[in-house]
Structure formats: C-alpha cells, structure tokens
Amino acid sequence: MVTLRRVHPHTLLLLLFVVHLSRPVCVDVPSDTEAVLGNSMKLTCISCLKREEVKVDTHVIWYFTPTETQNKTKIFKVENDVKEPIDGHFDGRLTWNGSKDLQDLSLWILNVSERDHGFYECEVIRTFDFGAFKPKARRNINFTLTVKEKASNDPAAIYSEIMMYVLLVFLTLWLLVEMVYCYKKISKSDDQAQDALSVPDLYEMDDFLHSSEKVLTTQDNGTDCPIHSVPP
C-alpha cells in the first residue's frame, strides 16, 4: 500500500504534464485570396493570445468593401460571445467558423458569387482584465479576395504531386533490388550449409571403406577373430 501511495502522485503529475503538452497551439495563418464561383470559401482571421491564462473580453467586427462601389460595410460581428451576421450584401451566406476561445475568428462564405470580390477586413478588439487595470488592444487583419470561374493550378501542388510519384517509383525499385539481394544471399547460405553437411558424409564413407577392407583381409587369412601372438 505504501508503494501505491507513492506511485499515484507521480502518475498524476505525468498525466497532467502530457495533457499540458498536448494542448492545441495557435498559429497565425493568412487567409486564402482566391475563391471559385459557386463554391464555399473560408475567410481566415486568426489572432493568437500570448498568454491564454489572462482573462480577456474579445470583440470582432468583419468589414467588406466591394471593388465596384468602394463602400465599406459591416458584415459580421462577435460581441459578448454572441455571433451575429449582419444582413445585407451576403443575404445569409455567412456562417461562423471560429474557435470557442476566440483566437480563430474565421468565417465561411456559402455559394460564392462574382459580387463577393473585394477587400475584407477583420478587426479584433481585446480588453484584458488585470483587476483595476484593463488595457485594450486592437488588431486589423485584411486581404483582397478575387473570384474565379475555375480554380487556378497551384505550382506547389503540381510539384509535390510529381515528387510523390517519383518517390513511389524510387521506393518500388529499391524494394525490388533488396528482394533480389536477399534472395541471392539466402540461396548462397543454403548452398554453403548443404556443402558443409555433405563433407562429413564423404569422410564417413571413406572410413567405412577402410574398415571393410581390413575385415576382408582378416577373413582371407582364415580367421574371423583378431590374431594374437602366443608366447613360447
């Protein structure tokens, strides 16, 4: 029982350490800037917190400026954990795609149209709570979205696909070479083992022939027993 009491705290500490290491990590990722007509498109807005243990109140406002009119309008807002799209240009085609801790503040555009081409801005306002001291931080993430009828070919994707096929061919050839090499090595070891087994058999046959010759010589002398000299 003493051993169990000593092991349990160490086990719990190890589990807590592993769980702490396995927590997701926030990474600032820029948004894609090309959308395909009629498909869905993710408007990425990520604003990571440097210290997640600090209590913070986050407000988010998404703006859209069409290329044709250059009129900046609000399209989505997050306030007091309430996600609310603002009706207007998108007509209910905007959906929330962010995280619960409000570090990922992304949106989805459903059924992209040609009118969705323009300038997007994600404004993040954070109010940190340090007791009597409550500072604010503001950050703007913006990008220009273009709408195309067909998806353009990504050179990086084409290059990665070519390299994948080249790697598959190389690994297949290497596997064939290894199989042939192993087969030859095993065949050679089997031949050596058979040779090693056959050599003692030849020696035993030679000894058998010599012993047979001695027996025949003794029988020719007229006796079946060994001849001993009789003392006078």
Side-chain angles (χ1 to χ4, degrees):
M1 295 299 293
V2 176
T3 306
L4 291 176
R5 290 177 182 176
R6 291 181 180 177
V7 170
H8 283 313
H10 295 290
T11 306
L12 291 175
L13 288 176
L14 179 61
L15 290 175
L16 290 175
F17 181 72
V18 171
V19 170
H20 178 74
L21 290 180
S22 63
R23 295 176 62 184
V25 179
C26 179
V27 179
D28 291 334
V29 179
S31 178
D32 292 333
T33 57
E34 285 189 3
V36 180
L37 188 65
N39 292 350
S40 299
M41 173 65 188
K42 183 178 181 179
L43 306 176
T44 304
C45 176
I46 297 178
S47 179
C48 298
L49 291 171
K50 302 301 180 182
R51 297 181 61 183
E52 299 181 12
E53 68 275 10
V54 177
K55 186 178 180 180
V56 59
D57 187 16
T58 303
H59 298 268
V60 184
I61 302 176
W62 275 90
Y63 297 94
F64 172 61
T65 305
T67 306
E68 295 81 7
T69 62
Q70 295 296 322
N71 293 327
K72 184 178 179 179
T73 58
K74 293 181 181 180
I75 59 175
F76 202 95
K77 68 177 182 180
V78 179
E79 187 175 1
N80 298 326
D81 293 333
V82 177
K83 291 84 175 176
E84 180 182 359
I86 300 174
D87 294 334
H89 174 82
F90 292 94
D91 297 328
R93 293 185 295 118
L94 284 179
T95 59
W96 174 254
N97 191 244
S99 59
K100 186 177 181 180
D101 59 0
L102 296 182
Q103 295 192 80
D104 186 356
L105 312 161
S106 304
L107 301 178
W108 271 103
I109 303 179
L110 304 177
N111 191 18
V112 175
S113 65
E114 294 181 354
R115 298 187 304 114
D116 298 337
H117 170 72
F119 185 76
Y120 291 82
E121 182 179 355
C122 174
E123 184 180 29
V124 185
I125 304 171
R126 299 190 190 276
T127 304
F128 299 92
D129 189 358
F130 295 102
F133 181 56
K134 296 183 179 181
K136 288 187 176 182
R138 185 187 302 267
R139 182 184 180 187
N140 291 343
I141 301 172
N142 49 63
F143 55 91
T144 300
L145 181 68
T146 58
V147 179
K148 297 184 177 181
E149 294 184 359
K150 295 182 180 180
S152 58
N153 294 326
D154 188 3
I158 297 174
Y159 177 75
S160 62
E161 187 175 359
I162 293 174
M163 291 302 298
M164 181 186 67
Y165 285 114
V166 171
L167 183 61
L168 287 175
V169 172
F170 172 76
L171 291 176
T172 303
L173 294 176
W174 178 78
L175 181 61
L176 290 175
V177 171
E178 284 293 322
M179 290 177 63
V180 172
Y181 172 76
C182 292
Y183 176 76
K184 289 184 177 180
K185 193 171 183 179
I186 293 173
S187 299
K188 186 177 180 180
S189 61
D190 290 340
D191 294 339
Q192 291 178 353
Q194 291 179 359
D195 294 340
L197 291 174
S198 61
V199 170
D201 293 340
L202 293 176
Y203 284 118
E204 292 176 2
M205 182 63 69
D206 189 26
D207 294 338
F208 176 75
L209 292 176
H210 282 295
S211 61
S212 299
E213 290 179 357
K214 290 181 180 180
V215 171
L216 292 174
T217 304
T218 305
Q219 290 178 353
D220 291 338
N221 292 332
T223 178
D224 293 337
C225 299
I227 301 174
H228 299 280
S229 58
V230 180

